[in-house]
Amino acid sequence: MKTKTLLVLAGLATTQCMFNSCGEDNTNLQNENYKSTQSLPKTALSFTNGTYFTDPQAVNAGFEFIRSKFAQNPGYVLNQQDLNTFYEKAQIATDERLPLDQVNNIINKTVSLMQVPFAQAVQQLNISSAAKSLAITINNGSIIHLEANAAYNNLPANEKSMIKNINDYKYNAEQGNYLITGIPTGKQPLWITGGMIGMVGGGIIGFAVAGPVGALVGAGIGVVGGIITGAILGAK
């Protein structure tokens, strides 16, 4: 109950200024800055290929950058420069980067979804029942040798990529492979829990914007929403 109350308060306190662009000039600047990132080199890591969360090294660099911003100041407003820096540190492929307004929408959705159980949240995803069932199973514990799982192998390619991303993320979290700064021993940080919820929120927003491929990219970027939400709550 206490955690849910904090989530509600965090959502109410931060949503208005954090999750909305502020004026036409700012929107134009965001779009220009977003376009400028398209010339950066493409990396081998990819949400759509299901390879991004296999190695936590790049993930850690981006995670810690964003987490530290909000740990220092829970009221901090994410801006385009922060997002560009995150993308560079996290080695996210240039064609899998979302502009600030879409990221803000994912963050907002993540805050909302963190107030309901994961199994309930995942029902909102536009994926098959089999994929939803696998996501719920993974939330309770990663699936070892996922590629040998019959239900996984029967999924369409885009759903396989999404489930692989979720499973890799959960596995690395379980193994303690993600940086955890300032968290009491034995306590799972909210940004890890938030990352799982963020993938759901990102999948919902991404699908609405660009269909199945957008859902994959949105789910990957949704982890940012989980980091920010967890950092805000962890700082309280």
Side-chain angles (χ1 to χ4, degrees):
M1 181 65 71
K2 181 177 180 181
T3 300
K4 180 177 284 189
T5 301
L6 286 174
L7 284 164
V8 173
L9 290 175
L12 291 174
T14 62
T15 297
Q16 183 173 358
C17 80
M18 179 191 273
F19 307 128
N20 293 286
S21 300
C22 302
E24 183 177 351
D25 291 341
N26 189 41
T27 300
N28 291 337
L29 177 61
Q30 291 169 12
N31 290 336
E32 289 303 313
N33 287 337
Y34 167 64
K35 290 175 184 176
S36 71
T37 67
Q38 303 309 296
S39 62
L40 296 174
K42 180 178 174 65
T43 68
L45 303 177
S46 170
F47 300 130
T48 55
N49 292 336
T51 60
Y52 185 77
F53 294 101
T54 54
D55 184 350
Q57 184 174 355
V59 180
N60 275 330
F63 280 21
E64 181 61 13
F65 171 74
I66 290 290
R67 188 209 64 78
S68 65
K69 288 282 186 180
F70 288 87
Q72 295 168 13
N73 177 9
Y76 191 80
V77 178
L78 181 69
N79 57 50
Q80 187 66 53
Q81 183 176 354
D82 291 336
L83 189 58
N84 291 347
T85 301
F86 165 78
Y87 285 148
E88 292 171 9
K89 288 181 176 292
Q91 297 180 34
I92 292 174
T94 55
D95 61 351
E96 296 191 358
R97 302 178 182 189
L98 300 183
L100 183 61
D101 59 344
Q102 290 181 24
V103 174
N104 282 338
N105 287 337
I106 290 172
I107 295 167
N108 198 11
K109 188 67 175 178
T110 300
V111 172
S112 173
L113 290 176
M114 282 186 74
Q115 299 175 50
V116 301
F118 181 86
Q120 181 179 335
V122 82
Q123 296 304 324
Q124 299 182 40
L125 275 171
N126 196 340
I127 57 177
S128 67
S129 296
K132 291 176 182 178
S133 179
L134 283 168
I136 292 168
T137 297
I138 291 167
N139 186 55
N140 294 323
S142 63
I143 299 175
I144 305 301
H145 305 305
L146 178 65
E147 290 77 4
N149 183 286
Y152 170 78
N153 282 314
N154 287 328
L155 297 177
N158 63 300
E159 292 188 358
K160 288 178 73 172
S161 293
M162 179 174 287
I163 294 303
K164 187 176 186 304
N165 281 326
I166 293 174
N167 195 59
D168 287 341
Y169 175 83
K170 183 67 174 182
Y171 173 81
N172 278 306
E174 291 168 345
Q175 297 301 307
N177 293 333
Y178 294 137
L179 291 174
I180 303 174
T181 304
I183 303 296
T185 303
K187 179 181 179 181
Q188 176 168 298
L190 284 171
W191 68 264
I192 286 181
T193 302
M196 293 292 291
I197 289 288
M199 288 194 186
V200 176
I204 294 169
I205 298 295
F207 190 93
V209 172
V213 173
L216 286 168
V217 176
I221 299 298
V223 175
V224 183
I227 298 167
I228 291 174
T229 305
I232 292 170
L233 299 174
K236 289 186 177 295

